Amino acid sequence: MLAWKRSRKILLCVTGGIAAYKIPDLVSRLRKLDCEVEIAMTEAAETLVSPLALSTLSNRRAWLQSDFLASSRGFEIPHIHLADWAEVVVVAPCSANTAFGVAQGRAGGIVEAALLATQAPVVLFPAMNVHMFENPATRRNLEILTQRGVRVVDPAFGLLACGYEGKGRLPDTDLILEEIAYALSPRRDLAGKHILVTAGPTREYLDPVRFISNPSSGKMGLAMARTAWYRGAEVRVILGPASPAGSAHGLEIHGVVSTLEMRDAVMENLEWADCIVKAAAVGDYRAEEKADHKIKRNTGGNDQERTFSLSLVQNPDIAAEVGARKRADQLLIGFAAETDDLVANARAKLERKGLDVMLANDVSAPSSGFGVDTNVVHMISRTGGEISISGSKEEVADAVWEELITGGLF
Ligand code: PMT
C-alpha cells in the first residue's frame, strides 16, 4: 500500500439518505488504514444511522446538528475546526437537500457550514431516489458544485431502497475508498497525459473449452494503471482474461481474450496514447487451427500410443510493432518476464522491440512476477540507466512513474 494513503485526516459528513446505514463500514475501513475520522451529521442523518455507532467506530465523538454554534469547545467553533483540520472532506451519502444547500452556499447546520468553510478537497457521493437524482434541479446543483471544484461521484445503478431500479445507490465502500485516495494523492504530475496499459494474460483457444495461457493475474498492469490515475492521467487498460483483486475504478477497461484481439485493441488506441505500458503476459503462439468442437479423447491402442500433436503458429509481437510504429514523442515501456540472465536478456529485448524502458522481473523468484502482490524489477532505460525497485506492485508502479518523471523521460 502506498504510504500516503495511510494515517490521513478525514472529515466524513453524513446526510439524510437511507444509504447512511452503510457508513459504519466505511469508517471501520478508514480506521484500518490508521486514518483519523471526524464525523459530522445532519439532523436527518441522525434518524438513519446511530451517532453512537459512528463515534464508537471512529473513536471520537460524532458532531451533531445540536453542536452547531454550541459553546462546548470554548472559543473553538466546531465547523471551522473541522473544516481546517480535514485533509479531505467526504459527503456520503449526500442528499438532494444537502447538495442544494452547499450549491447555494447555505450554512444552515454543522455539515453545510463546514463545507462552506473548508479549503480541503471535497468529494461528494449523491445517493437518492433515481427521479430525485435525475431531476434538473438536482443535476443543476451538482453541476454548480462540479464547476466549483467539488468532485461529484455518480451513484451506482441498482435496486434502490424506495423500490425503483436505477441510478441512485451509494457506491461500494471500495470505490469510495479509491475516490478518497484519488483526492489525497500528493501529485497530479501526469495530468493531461494519456496512458495505455496492457495487463493480464492472453488465451489461445485450441477448441471451445481448452486454451493455452499463463498465470498472469493482471495485478502489475493494473497497479501501473491505477498509480497513473492517482497522478492525474487518463488511463485505458487492455485487459486479458483476469479478475484482478484491487480496484479498476477510474480506469477505462477494454477486455480482450487472445493475442490478436490484444494487438488490435492496442493499435486502435495507439494514436491516443502518450505512453504505452506493456505489462501483459502475451501468448507467443496460437493453434494453427482452432477446432469447432471439443477435441475428443483417442480411444484406439494403449495410453502410450495415444499421442496428440498440436501445430502452433507464432503470434505478432505487439511491443515490437508498437516500437516500430510509435511517434518520437510516445514513450514505450515493456516488462520482461525472465528466469535467467535477467538484465542481459531484458536489455536485448529492449533493443529488439524498440522500447524506451524495460522493467525486468525475475518470474522464478517467490516474491516477484506472476500472481503475487509484490515485485522486484530492474528498470533499464535505453539511455543506459539501471535501477532496482521492490515492494508491493502498487509501490513498484508508483516508483516507476516517479523515476520516469524525475528522470525527465516523461
Ligand atoms: O499479472 P501479474 O500476475 O501481476 O504478473 C505480472 C507479470 C509477471 C505478468 C508482468 O510483470 C510481466 O513481466 N509482464 C510481461 C510478461 C511477458 O510477456 O514478458 P516477455 O519477456 O515475454 O515479453 C516482453 C515484452 O513484450 C512484454 O512487455 C510483453 O507484453 C511484450 N510482448 C510479448 C510477446 C508478444 N507476442 N507481444 C508482446 O507485446
Side-chain angles (χ1 to χ4, degrees):
M1 158 128 356
L2 296 170
W4 55 259
K5 289 185 181 177
R6 307 188 74 90
S7 308
R8 305 305 295 260
K9 292 177 177 166
I10 295 157
L11 170 59
L12 180 53
C13 299
V14 188
T15 80
I18 185 65
Y21 83 90
K22 297 177 179 170
I23 298 306
D25 179 46
L26 175 61
V27 178
S28 157
R29 296 279 298 276
L30 287 167
R31 294 285 296 141
K32 283 180 186 144
L33 295 173
D34 291 329
C35 291
E36 294 176 62
V37 187
E38 288 277 15
I39 313 273
M41 303 175 77
T42 63
E43 219 164 357
E46 287 175 43
T47 64
L48 293 160
V49 60
S50 148
L52 182 61
L54 292 176
S55 60
T56 306
L57 287 165
S58 65
N59 206 16
R60 286 162 182 247
R61 60 163 300 171
W63 296 93
L64 308 179
Q65 181 63 15
S66 52
D67 295 311
F68 187 46
L69 303 180
S71 55
S72 54
R73 285 177 73 105
F75 60 87
E76 216 169 29
I77 304 163
H79 60 270
I80 303 297
H81 157 72
L82 294 171
D84 289 347
W85 170 87
E87 291 179 285
V88 61
V89 181
V90 178
V91 191
C94 180
S95 67
N97 185 44
T98 298
F100 166 72
V102 184
Q104 298 305 311
R106 192 173 65 189
I110 195 159
V111 166
E112 287 178 353
L115 283 162
L116 201 59
T118 193
Q119 300 292 297
V122 176
V123 193
L124 199 139
F125 295 88
M128 61 195 74
N129 164 272
V130 58
H131 297 313
M132 289 173 75
F133 178 67
E134 282 170 358
N135 189 296
T138 308
R139 310 296 312 159
R140 180 77 194 118
N141 290 329
L142 296 174
E143 226 172 80
I144 291 170
L145 290 166
T146 303
Q147 281 162 10
R148 220 179 274 156
V150 171
R151 188 159 170 94
V152 177
V153 182
D154 261 3
F157 183 93
L159 189 63
L160 307 177
C162 54
Y164 280 95
E165 195 175 37
K167 220 173 177 184
R169 287 172 67 85
L170 186 71
D172 288 346
T173 305
D174 283 337
L175 189 153
I176 298 177
L177 290 171
E178 274 300 288
E179 280 290 340
I180 294 173
Y182 183 75
L184 289 168
S185 167
R187 280 170 282 277
R188 287 279 191 268
D189 42 14
L190 291 180
K193 297 285 190 193
H194 291 174
I195 315 271
L196 181 66
V197 179
T198 68
T202 55
R203 271 184 198 173
E204 305 300 339
Y205 275 88
L206 311 178
D207 70 13
V209 295
R210 299 187 182 93
F211 54 81
I212 304 173
S213 190
N214 62 67
S216 170
S217 61
K219 286 179 190 173
M220 190 65 239
L222 277 194
M224 289 298 297
R226 198 163 45 239
T227 48
W229 179 65
Y230 291 151
R231 287 172 179 261
E234 224 180 288
V235 187
R236 292 182 186 166
V237 182
I238 313 297
L239 180 64
S243 325
S247 176
H249 176 64
L251 314 174
E252 194 181 310
I253 305 280
H254 300 253
V256 295
V257 176
S258 65
T259 300
L260 290 179
E261 283 176 24
M262 185 170 276
R263 181 221 164 257
D264 289 350
V266 168
M267 294 311 156
E268 272 163 33
N269 288 284
L270 190 55
E271 190 61 27
W272 170 87
D274 297 304
C275 171
I276 304 102
V277 180
K278 300 253 3 344
V282 183
D284 273 316
Y285 293 91
R286 66 179 184 277
E288 191 171 22
E289 274 180 50
K290 183 188 153 196
D292 290 341
H293 304 286
K294 187 179 168 201
I295 299 166
K296 299 284 182 293
R297 273 180 74 83
N298 189 345
T299 50
N302 61 39
D303 271 354
Q304 305 305 315
E305 291 157 359
R306 290 176 200 141
T307 57
F308 176 75
S309 308
L310 194 60
S311 180
L312 301 175
V313 288
Q314 193 163 290
N315 273 324
D317 187 323
I318 308 169
E321 195 176 336
V322 173
R325 282 173 57 166
K326 78 181 184 76
R327 302 187 306 264
D329 64 339
Q330 288 175 309
L331 185 73
L332 177 58
I333 302 170
F335 275 81
E338 301 295 341
T339 52
D340 56 287
D341 283 339
L342 190 69
V343 174
N345 283 337
R347 194 169 277 287
K349 279 183 190 169
L350 175 141
E351 294 296 340
R352 196 171 68 242
K353 296 177 188 240
L355 305 172
D356 298 298
V357 174
M358 183 58 113
L359 300 157
N361 38 205
D362 180 352
V363 291
S364 62
S367 60
S368 90
F370 293 105
V372 290
D373 290 329
T374 51
N375 210 355
V376 182
V377 299
H378 291 270
M379 183 171 175
I380 302 164
S381 71
R382 173 168 285 282
T383 47
E386 187 191 316
I387 58 157
S388 178
I389 306 171
S390 60
S392 71
K393 283 183 173 167
E394 201 171 72
E395 287 165 347
V396 168
D398 196 52
V400 167
W401 291 121
E402 189 66 24
E403 275 301 317
L404 292 170
I405 294 162
T406 54
L409 278 162
F410 194 44

